[in-house]
Amino acid sequence: KNQAFKVNTKGTEHIVEICRKKNIPLVFTSTSAIFNGKSRVPYVEFDKPDPANYYAQTKLEAEKAVKGLDDFVIVRLGWLIGKQRKFLYYILKQIQENAPEIRAVSDIKGTITYAYDAVRFLDVVLKNKEEGIFHLASIGSCTRYELARRIVYISGSKIKVIPVLNKEFSKLYPAPRPRNESIKSARRIPNFEKIGGWKQTILDIERIEGLKL
């Protein structure tokens, strides 16, 4: 907890103070986890945050600090995915090692954000001199079980993907998780190519990063 507070909250507050003194605009990346997960539909920028765990609370406190600036952008990301991101890396590692099965959570849903799309979006935000809060994720919600099945299917692997409840990983990840971490954007910005569905995003990762799925 102390580390999360130091990095997410206090670290951001220090950066905000520097930006304020030097009159520098700040672009801050946040998380879809700041919502309580009780909604049945994806959260949009205008929904009220209500963190379900301490990590999310530290990110929300950081957002509040950023909002104290005159010129800021907050971009909330979904489950960040890419070649070097832990979930995709874990699935690919299991495939490469011919694991007998992959166990993935099926009772929590969210939306994925490809790291490459995040970079493209931030670039456009800066060039357009946008302001305010944005959500960025592929279209459509999925569980990590569905995500794992999609990756395994594209790879051609015969590994069995087993759906499990989140509580199976409670010893590794004891913090409570929102049941729905899905987000979508109610805003549009010029010059940014719309992101497609989450299944297409997996194909994009394979094509752009040269993965052998």
Side-chain angles (χ1 to χ4, degrees), residues 3-162:
Q3 184 70 6
F5 176 73
K6 284 183 177 179
V7 174
N8 294 333
T9 305
K10 295 305 294 183
T12 302
E13 288 175 352
H14 290 320
I15 294 172
V16 166
E17 187 59 30
I18 293 171
C19 290
R20 180 178 290 112
K21 288 180 179 178
K22 296 185 176 293
N23 196 29
I24 300 172
L26 176 61
V27 177
F28 177 75
T29 56
S30 190
T31 172
S32 59
I34 63 170
F35 299 104
N36 61 27
K38 295 178 181 179
S39 173
R40 294 185 177 182
V41 297
Y43 291 93
V44 297
E45 291 89 344
F46 313 112
D47 288 323
K48 183 178 180 181
D50 181 21
N53 57 53
Y54 186 77
Y55 163 79
Q57 183 63 49
T58 63
K59 293 293 283 187
L60 181 58
E61 292 303 317
E63 283 195 14
K64 291 178 181 177
V66 173
K67 289 178 182 178
L69 293 171
D70 293 329
D71 191 356
F72 71 88
V73 172
I74 295 173
V75 181
R76 294 174 181 150
L77 307 175
W79 296 341
L80 199 58
I81 189 169
K83 185 177 181 180
Q84 301 300 325
R85 301 304 302 178
K86 57 185 179 181
F87 185 77
L88 180 59
Y89 175 80
Y90 165 76
I91 300 300
L92 293 176
K93 188 171 185 289
Q94 297 300 301
I95 293 173
Q96 291 164 1
E97 295 178 353
N98 294 313
E101 65 181 32
I102 294 173
R103 305 174 74 83
V105 174
S106 61
D107 60 341
I108 293 178
K109 64 180 181 179
T111 40
I112 64 173
T113 303
Y114 179 22
Y116 176 76
D117 289 331
V119 171
R120 288 195 305 112
F121 186 79
L122 293 173
D123 181 57
V124 172
V125 161
L126 289 169
K127 288 178 179 177
N128 288 359
K129 297 183 178 180
E130 300 287 346
E131 295 181 353
I133 299 174
F134 293 90
H135 285 182
L136 181 69
S138 297
I139 297 172
S141 302
C142 63
T143 63
R144 285 183 170 83
Y145 164 68
E146 292 172 314
L147 191 55
R149 282 192 63 188
R150 179 65 177 173
I151 296 168
V152 169
Y153 172 76
I154 294 174
S155 75
S157 171
K158 301 301 181 183
I159 293 178
K160 190 174 183 180
V161 183
I162 309 296

